[in-house]
Short mmCIF file of all heavy atoms in Angstrom, two decimals:
data_model
loop_
_atom_site.label_atom_id
_atom_site.label_comp_id
_atom_site.label_asym_id
_atom_site.label_seq_id
_atom_site.Cartn_x
_atom_site.Cartn_y
_atom_site.Cartn_z
N GLU H 3 -6.61 -15.29 8.44
CA GLU H 3 -8.00 -14.90 8.19
C GLU H 3 -8.25 -14.92 6.70
O GLU H 3 -7.32 -14.88 5.90
CB GLU H 3 -8.24 -13.50 8.74
CG GLU H 3 -8.02 -13.39 10.23
CD GLU H 3 -8.33 -11.99 10.73
OE1 GLU H 3 -9.26 -11.37 10.19
OE2 GLU H 3 -7.65 -11.55 11.65
N GLU H 4 -9.53 -14.96 6.34
CA GLU H 4 -9.85 -14.92 4.92
C GLU H 4 -9.46 -13.55 4.37
O GLU H 4 -9.77 -12.52 4.94
CB GLU H 4 -11.34 -15.16 4.71
CG GLU H 4 -11.68 -16.62 4.79
CD GLU H 4 -13.02 -16.92 4.15
OE1 GLU H 4 -13.38 -16.26 3.15
OE2 GLU H 4 -13.69 -17.81 4.67
N MET H 5 -8.76 -13.60 3.24
CA MET H 5 -8.29 -12.37 2.62
C MET H 5 -8.64 -12.39 1.14
O MET H 5 -8.82 -13.45 0.57
CB MET H 5 -6.76 -12.26 2.73
CG MET H 5 -6.32 -11.49 3.91
SD MET H 5 -4.62 -10.94 3.73
CE MET H 5 -3.77 -12.38 4.24
N ILE H 6 -8.68 -11.22 0.57
CA ILE H 6 -8.92 -11.10 -0.86
C ILE H 6 -7.64 -11.33 -1.66
O ILE H 6 -7.69 -11.46 -2.87
CB ILE H 6 -9.54 -9.74 -1.23
CG1 ILE H 6 -8.64 -8.60 -0.80
CG2 ILE H 6 -10.93 -9.61 -0.63
CD1 ILE H 6 -9.08 -7.22 -1.28
N TYR H 7 -6.51 -11.40 -0.97
CA TYR H 7 -5.23 -11.60 -1.63
C TYR H 7 -4.83 -13.07 -1.54
O TYR H 7 -5.18 -13.76 -0.60
CB TYR H 7 -4.15 -10.71 -0.99
CG TYR H 7 -4.55 -9.26 -1.01
CD1 TYR H 7 -4.95 -8.61 0.16
CD2 TYR H 7 -4.57 -8.54 -2.19
CE1 TYR H 7 -5.35 -7.27 0.14
CE2 TYR H 7 -4.98 -7.21 -2.23
CZ TYR H 7 -5.37 -6.59 -1.06
OH TYR H 7 -5.78 -5.29 -1.10
N PRO H 8 -4.06 -13.54 -2.53
CA PRO H 8 -3.60 -14.93 -2.48
C PRO H 8 -2.72 -15.19 -1.26
O PRO H 8 -2.15 -14.26 -0.69
CB PRO H 8 -2.77 -15.07 -3.77
CG PRO H 8 -3.19 -13.95 -4.65
CD PRO H 8 -3.61 -12.84 -3.73
N ALA H 9 -2.62 -16.45 -0.90
CA ALA H 9 -1.73 -16.85 0.20
C ALA H 9 -0.30 -16.87 -0.33
O ALA H 9 -0.03 -17.40 -1.41
CB ALA H 9 -2.13 -18.22 0.72
N VAL H 44 -0.24 -7.30 0.48
CA VAL H 44 -0.50 -6.32 -0.58
C VAL H 44 0.77 -6.08 -1.40
O VAL H 44 0.73 -6.08 -2.63
CB VAL H 44 -1.04 -5.00 0.00
CG1 VAL H 44 -1.12 -3.92 -1.06
CG2 VAL H 44 -2.40 -5.22 0.63
N TYR H 47 1.35 -9.14 -3.54
CA TYR H 47 0.31 -9.22 -4.57
C TYR H 47 0.59 -8.22 -5.70
O TYR H 47 0.55 -8.57 -6.88
CB TYR H 47 -1.05 -8.94 -3.94
CG TYR H 47 -2.16 -8.76 -4.93
CD1 TYR H 47 -2.73 -9.86 -5.57
CD2 TYR H 47 -2.66 -7.49 -5.24
CE1 TYR H 47 -3.76 -9.70 -6.49
CE2 TYR H 47 -3.68 -7.32 -6.15
CZ TYR H 47 -4.23 -8.42 -6.77
OH TYR H 47 -5.25 -8.26 -7.69
N LEU H 119 -5.03 3.45 -2.94
CA LEU H 119 -5.49 2.10 -2.63
C LEU H 119 -5.56 1.96 -1.12
O LEU H 119 -4.57 2.19 -0.42
CB LEU H 119 -4.53 1.05 -3.21
CG LEU H 119 -4.85 -0.40 -2.89
CD1 LEU H 119 -6.17 -0.83 -3.52
CD2 LEU H 119 -3.73 -1.31 -3.39
N LEU H 120 -6.73 1.61 -0.62
CA LEU H 120 -6.96 1.41 0.81
C LEU H 120 -7.41 -0.03 1.00
O LEU H 120 -8.28 -0.50 0.26
CB LEU H 120 -8.04 2.35 1.34
CG LEU H 120 -7.77 3.84 1.28
CD1 LEU H 120 -7.85 4.39 -0.11
CD2 LEU H 120 -8.74 4.57 2.17
N THR H 121 -6.83 -0.73 1.99
CA THR H 121 -7.21 -2.12 2.19
C THR H 121 -7.05 -2.55 3.64
O THR H 121 -6.19 -2.03 4.35
CB THR H 121 -6.39 -3.06 1.29
OG1 THR H 121 -6.89 -4.40 1.43
CG2 THR H 121 -4.91 -3.03 1.61
N ASN H 122 -7.90 -3.48 4.04
CA ASN H 122 -7.76 -4.15 5.33
C ASN H 122 -7.60 -5.66 5.11
O ASN H 122 -7.73 -6.44 6.04
CB ASN H 122 -8.94 -3.84 6.26
CG ASN H 122 -10.26 -4.36 5.74
OD1 ASN H 122 -10.33 -5.04 4.72
ND2 ASN H 122 -11.33 -4.02 6.42
N GLY H 123 -7.34 -6.04 3.89
CA GLY H 123 -7.15 -7.45 3.55
C GLY H 123 -8.43 -8.17 3.21
O GLY H 123 -8.42 -9.13 2.47
N LYS H 124 -9.55 -7.69 3.74
CA LYS H 124 -10.85 -8.29 3.45
C LYS H 124 -11.56 -7.53 2.32
O LYS H 124 -12.43 -8.07 1.66
CB LYS H 124 -11.72 -8.32 4.69
CG LYS H 124 -11.16 -9.20 5.79
CD LYS H 124 -12.14 -9.39 6.93
CE LYS H 124 -12.08 -8.25 7.89
NZ LYS H 124 -12.91 -8.45 9.09
N MET H 125 -11.16 -6.28 2.16
CA MET H 125 -11.69 -5.46 1.07
C MET H 125 -10.62 -4.46 0.67
O MET H 125 -9.70 -4.18 1.43
CB MET H 125 -12.97 -4.74 1.49
CG MET H 125 -12.77 -3.63 2.50
SD MET H 125 -14.24 -2.62 2.80
CE MET H 125 -14.40 -1.75 1.27
N GLN H 126 -10.75 -3.97 -0.55
CA GLN H 126 -9.88 -2.90 -0.98
C GLN H 126 -10.70 -1.88 -1.73
O GLN H 126 -11.70 -2.21 -2.36
CB GLN H 126 -8.71 -3.40 -1.82
CG GLN H 126 -9.06 -3.87 -3.20
CD GLN H 126 -7.83 -4.31 -3.98
OE1 GLN H 126 -6.76 -4.53 -3.44
NE2 GLN H 126 -7.99 -4.46 -5.28
N VAL H 127 -10.28 -0.63 -1.61
CA VAL H 127 -10.90 0.48 -2.32
C VAL H 127 -9.80 1.11 -3.16
O VAL H 127 -8.77 1.52 -2.64
CB VAL H 127 -11.51 1.50 -1.34
CG1 VAL H 127 -12.07 2.69 -2.09
CG2 VAL H 127 -12.57 0.85 -0.46
#
Side-chain angles (χ1 to χ4, degrees):
E3 299 183 35
E4 280 199 35
M5 266 199 277
I6 59 173
Y7 304 107
V44 172
Y47 170 77
L119 176 65
L120 296 73
T121 185
N122 64 5
K124 296 189 277 186
M125 70 171 291
Q126 72 178 15
V127 176

